Amino acid sequence: MSDQPAFPILDLAAFARADAAGRAAIGAELDRTCRETGFLAVGNHGVPDAVIEGLWSKLTDFFDQSPEVKHALAPAPGAPYGYLGPGTEALARSRGEETPPDLKESFNGGPLAVPPGETDPDALAFCYAPTPWPEAPQGFREAWEAYYREMERLAARIMHAFAVALGLPEDHFESVIDQPISALRALNYPAQDRPPETGQLRAGAHTDYGSLTILLPEPGSRGLEILTPEGDWRAVPPVPGAFVINIGDLMTLWTGGRWVSTLHRVVTPPEWAARRRMSLAFFHQPNWHAEVKPLAGEGGETVTSGPYLMGKFAAANG
């Protein structure tokens, strides 16, 4: 782990090549960060540049299409995947805060396949619902799926580091994340041609639901902020060549409150108001049937991953 500047970075390549003592030292720094803010960057991650660039180019073309073309991909009521246009979501409302709609649009997709033998009707109707793929731009689905697979592999490597940080065997989480019900969201924050309404942000203050989120902001872009333990909003700096990850609510539950799921938001710095900003967010979630309970094994809430996620989604979109 290192700071650049005052923002922690997990070097995954260094973790992979370290001996047991070296991994324990990296894990201790990771544990400290996850107890303080739950936000850090991940460098030397191994995700090919070609996969990242391949999806960025398709997203630009997708979001540049007409509203009519994009809205044809809107999800059915209660469904999680498809296109959500501007004015359809206000993330702060998931915390009971009434705000104007967020200044963004998104495309959302889920797992690429249904596990053999899965028969749970809620699982099939919710997290394994089909993603409505756009016809254009050509190659969108292939670029999306290539990136999604890389995120699945990256999330598994990060969960190895998390296990070490928690003083557990490195493979502790493997049996409950081998068929994850993760979702990928592509976000476009359009250029703003008028002042926002009072209290209106590109993304209102919220926490994420799952185990961890892997965020890739557009290179050099700004606007992501986290709420510090002191109660101040702090900007997350762009870290070239790195992903930003953060702890979700489920990981806070899993660690018995040891690690924090921090409030974060996306604001509009003045120099970015007239520019679009895009990002990719991969929401990692353990297997549908995975039982999640505090690792200490004493008290606390026990939940099942899939129904827990479905309940969170319903509460935020009801």
Side-chain angles (χ1 to χ4, degrees), residues 129-215:
T131 298
W133 299 108
E135 294 182 3
Q138 186 175 4
F140 179 96
R141 178 174 181 173
E142 291 77 11
W144 182 278
E145 291 186 345
Y147 185 87
Y148 187 102
R149 292 189 183 96
E150 288 293 341
M151 291 301 100
E152 284 191 312
R153 289 189 278 267
L154 178 58
R157 296 200 300 273
I158 294 170
M159 291 295 284
H160 280 187
F162 278 2
V164 172
L166 291 164
L168 301 167
E170 189 173 325
D171 63 354
H172 177 82
F173 294 111
E174 282 188 2
S175 65
V176 291
I177 62 167
D178 58 345
Q179 295 176 338
I181 51 171
S182 306
L184 176 59
R185 162 170 273 201
L187 292 144
N188 182 53
Y189 304 97
Q192 297 169 211
D193 57 3
R194 63 178 66 89
E197 299 178 39
T198 302
Q200 190 174 35
L201 302 175
R202 281 183 157 172
H206 64 285
T207 58
D208 295 339
Y209 305 150
S211 42
L212 70 108
T213 300
I214 305 174
L215 179 69

Side-chain angles (χ1 to χ4, degrees), residues 71-151:
H71 279 294
L73 302 169
Y81 310 133
Y83 172 77
L84 295 176
T88 59
E89 189 175 56
L91 286 174
R93 292 177 188 169
S94 65
R95 322 172 33 239
E97 182 181 344
E98 283 302 316
T99 66
D102 295 340
L103 297 165
K104 68 176 187 295
E105 59 182 337
S106 67
F107 182 82
N108 308 272
L112 304 184
V114 180
E118 180 58 73
T119 60
D120 187 301
D122 285 338
L124 297 173
F126 182 67
C127 76
Y128 293 115
T131 298
W133 299 108
E135 294 182 3
Q138 186 175 4
F140 179 96
R141 178 174 181 173
E142 291 77 11
W144 182 278
E145 291 186 345
Y147 185 87
Y148 187 102
R149 292 189 183 96
E150 288 293 341
M151 291 301 100

Side-chain angles (χ1 to χ4, degrees), residues 31 50 54 65 80 102-103 143 184 216 227 231 234 238 245 280 290 306:
D31 176 54
Q65 295 180 108
D102 295 340
L103 297 165
L184 176 59
L216 184 63
L227 189 65
R234 185 179 75 180
I245 68 169
L280 286 159

